[in-house]
Amino acid sequence: MTDSMTVMTNVMLRIDPQACDGIGMCAHLAPDLITLDRWGYPIIPTRVLDVEEVSQATKAVKGCPKKALHLIANK
Amino acid sequence: MLVDYFVLSAPAGQREDYNAHIQRNGVLERCDRSLIDAVAEVALTGRGGAHFPVARKWQPVLQAISTAARLTVVVNAAEGEPSSRKDAEIMRRNPHLVLDGAVALSQSLVTGTYAAADIVVWLHEGDDISLSSIQRAIDERAGLDEPPMRVLLTPARYVSGESTSVIRAVQSERRTGKATAFPRFTVDPGRPWLQDDADGNPILVHNCETMARIGQIARVGALAYRATSLVTVTAPGGLRVLEVGPDTTFATLLASLGVVTPSAVLLGGYGGQWVEWLRIADLAVDPDALRTHGLSLGAGIIIPLAPEECGLQKTAEIAAWMAGQSAKACGPCTFGLPAVAELMTKISKKAKARDLRELHEVCGLIPGRGACRHPDGTVRMVTSALEVFAEDLDQHTHSRCLAHPRKHRR
Ligand code: SF4
Ligand code: SF4
């Protein structure tokens, strides 16, 4: 088992832009992290997430109907 | 042995077959890891546009190869942009140097008993002369102890030359036996040249010219290798491909082609950047020299602005072409590029402050948000035009134009 604390403190959001439908579900699920551009596509923070942001990010990842969002470990 | 410095050693319009190739260069010796050091020593950079240090690309491959079953080395000869022809010239005139590079590279990376290698040449559909030249070259080498080679064709589209597209197509071909243009895989943007597929097998992509240079280094060694530059210049009579030494300046290059001194050049092609002529005229046509001035030769594409052309209008036309080339898979590219093109077209007619503000805003929304770098290059080209043609932009706010001072525009 990986230590979940270490994983959670060093993660980033990543989007697969080819999979995203631009309907914007993620912005409702993670309003503090994700905004939508003028065409309705999400603008994803490119930095490492703060610990308290991770739960919101996880909601967006789980709720994305296209599975276009991923939480990845910062390498 | 006659050491030939040039990548394009066969005269224009002629193809060097295998016999002529080995008569001139000798048989290619089997390569080992020392090739990696030699390539690092001459500081070879990728000639597909990004100019990433080639030897550094191989480090992750060397790590992966110890456990992998197969390495695929890909020659990327899909030159999508209409203003580029250097790779086609190499494919047509000196195909064996390209294959030498791929063979030498496979041999130096794959040592011991772990992995085997195969070689793929990635080419546009419709480039029949290059196709027949490389296919003949593969046939001519049939009896040699070299990795198996094959050609994969891609539908003629600008972005299919992106290394991410190449990797995806090769992966899909491995799985399904057929190369689809844009199968969906997540590519790690930090390492776009190497993608372990489901089996963990690395795929290494190099531009055609880069591969030919690797072949050159494998043959002559680091000491005798000379860094030339292959460029495609848009000249009055059409595209001209030249190979120049690092002492050639932009001024001498254009003069030798009879190009009238332009006010600016588009350096690096449609996804490159506009540069004022006075800034670049006396600089060497050399990637390293340009880098010290914060410029990039890209894939060696040089488009001088013709005296009768308006830089802003030309930028608008290129932006529209680039928008049309988007594979329309990613939102910011699908919607962003047409918006950029439309605003740029408006501005090239009459530069309204509102449209300019909007253009800057839209350009800020696009970079880094597509699956490939196509949209980023387009935005770079457009924003450089706004800087380089600032004076003309000012004229355009009054519906005037420096290129057409008399013609009153709408
Ligand atoms: S929820 Fe998923 S598919 Fe929908 S806009 Fe967000 S990332 Fe795109
Ligand atoms: S960024 Fe544009 S060109 Fe590149 S894959 Fe996405 S839609 Fe296609």
Side-chain angles (χ1 to χ4, degrees):
Chain A
M1 248 332 263
T2 42
D3 178 356
S4 64
M5 260 334 272
T6 23
V7 174
M8 285 317 190
T9 50
N10 201 19
V11 291
M12 299 171 72
L13 262 177
R14 161 100 44 93
I15 184 165
D16 174 357
Q18 292 180 294
C20 170
D21 62 11
I23 290 172
M25 179 66 85
C26 51
H28 292 288
L29 296 169
D32 301 332
L33 284 177
I34 300 175
T35 53
L36 299 178
D37 67 16
R38 55 171 68 197
W39 307 291
Y41 287 86
I43 299 173
I44 307 293
T46 49
R47 54 181 170 78
V48 175
L49 300 180
D50 291 340
V51 192
E52 50 282 10
E53 291 172 332
V54 174
S55 68
Q56 229 183 60
T58 310
K59 274 191 200 136
V61 169
K62 288 197 175 133
C64 168
K66 296 288 179 182
K67 305 240 175 302
L69 288 174
H70 306 274
L71 270 181
I72 55 152
N74 175 42
K75 274 181 269 182
Chain B
M1 188 179 86
L2 182 75
V3 174
D4 200 325
Y5 294 121
F6 293 107
V7 169
L8 275 180
S9 55
Q14 286 182 35
R15 175 182 181 276
E16 191 173 78
D17 67 12
Y18 187 67
N19 283 335
H21 174 70
I22 55 167
Q23 242 163 44
R24 196 167 55 81
N25 300 298
V27 176
L28 180 70
E29 308 269 336
R30 201 180 162 80
C31 284
D32 56 24
R33 293 267 152 103
S34 65
L35 175 67
I36 300 170
D37 300 330
V39 168
E41 196 179 325
V42 306
L44 180 67
T45 58
R47 301 306 171 102
H51 290 278
F52 190 87
V54 167
R56 227 193 283 164
K57 263 191 174 189
W58 299 345
Q59 292 314 319
V61 181
L62 282 169
Q63 280 163 21
I65 204 85
S66 59
T67 52
R70 179 163 290 272
L71 165 73
T72 302
V73 170
V74 185
V75 178
N76 184 1
E79 216 170 6
E81 187 170 325
S83 51
S84 182
R85 211 185 62 203
K86 71 175 174 72
D87 293 335
E89 285 290 316
I90 304 173
M91 295 286 277
R92 291 163 191 206
R93 284 153 72 177
N94 291 90
H96 283 289
L97 194 57
V98 179
L99 295 181
D100 280 355
V103 169
L105 178 54
S106 318
Q107 289 173 345
S108 65
L109 292 175
V110 176
T111 51
T113 50
Y114 292 109
D118 56 354
I119 293 168
V120 169
V121 181
W122 178 250
L123 196 64
H124 276 304
E125 272 169 14
D127 188 355
D128 293 339
I129 305 175
S130 299
L131 175 61
S132 88
S133 172
I134 199 74
Q135 193 58 60
R136 263 160 68 203
I138 291 173
D139 296 344
E140 283 164 359
R141 299 170 84 113
L144 305 180
D145 178 22
E146 291 179 341
M149 303 170 184
R150 63 192 191 282
V151 178
L152 275 187
L153 291 177
T154 159
R157 202 180 239 286
Y158 179 84
V159 288
S160 51
E162 276 278 340
S163 59
T164 45
S165 311
V166 182
I167 289 166
R168 287 165 199 184
V170 171
Q171 286 177 324
S172 129
E173 191 240 9
R174 279 177 172 178
R175 285 176 200 182
T176 63
K178 201 169 117 240
T180 359
F182 293 98
R184 185 171 293 144
F185 293 97
T186 313
V187 171
D188 183 345
R191 317 182 299 166
W193 52 84
L194 166 75
Q195 179 66 47
D196 302 356
D197 66 6
D199 324 317
N201 292 331
I203 299 169
L204 181 61
V205 184
H206 281 299
N207 159 265
C208 171
E209 180 193 344
T210 311
M211 206 66 96
R213 290 185 183 278
I214 294 168
Q216 193 91 324
I217 294 164
R219 284 184 164 287
V220 304
L223 274 181
Y225 172 79
R226 230 183 59 179
T228 57
S229 289
L230 267 166
V231 293
T232 315
V233 183
T234 305
L239 297 185
R240 299 284 300 274
V241 174
L242 274 101
E243 184 165 7
V244 296
D247 44 352
T248 309
T249 64
F250 281 85
T252 48
L253 174 71
L254 292 201
S256 75
L257 292 171
V259 176
V260 186
T261 304
S263 56
V265 294
L266 179 51
L267 189 62
Y270 291 0
Q273 73 180 109
W274 287 101
V275 188
E276 296 91 345
W277 179 246
L278 290 179
R279 182 176 171 204
I280 206 174
D282 296 325
L283 297 184
V285 185
D286 173 68
D288 301 329
L290 288 166
R291 194 172 319 116
T292 61
H293 289 87
L295 298 169
S296 170
L297 190 56
I301 301 168
I302 299 169
I303 308 175
L305 185 68
E308 72 283 1
E309 283 178 325
C310 163
L312 294 169
Q313 194 182 330
K314 178 117 182 154
T315 300
E317 287 162 13
I318 297 173
W321 190 85
M322 293 292 262
Q325 293 297 309
S326 152
K328 308 238 182 310
C330 315
C333 178
T334 308
F335 295 97
L337 294 193
V340 167
E342 195 185 313
L343 286 162
M344 198 59 226
T345 306
K346 277 193 192 169
I347 288 163
S348 73
K349 291 181 179 136
K350 182 169 170 53
K352 292 189 187 138
R354 182 165 48 95
D355 291 337
L356 262 171
R357 260 201 317 276
E358 173 117 355
L359 179 60
H360 280 294
E361 202 182 307
V362 171
C363 282
L365 283 174
I366 298 171
R369 294 184 59 214
C372 75
R373 292 180 300 261
H374 174 69
D376 303 31
T378 312
V379 166
R380 178 172 50 234
M381 189 275 300
V382 167
T383 43
S384 72
L386 299 179
E387 282 166 30
V388 168
F389 303 120
E391 194 190 334
D392 206 5
L393 200 54
D394 195 45
Q395 293 288 316
H396 280 72
T397 58
H398 308 293
S399 301
R400 288 193 294 263
C401 170
L402 288 178
H404 310 116
R406 283 165 192 287
K407 204 166 94 193
H408 207 78
R409 297 170 150 265
R410 270 183 299 127

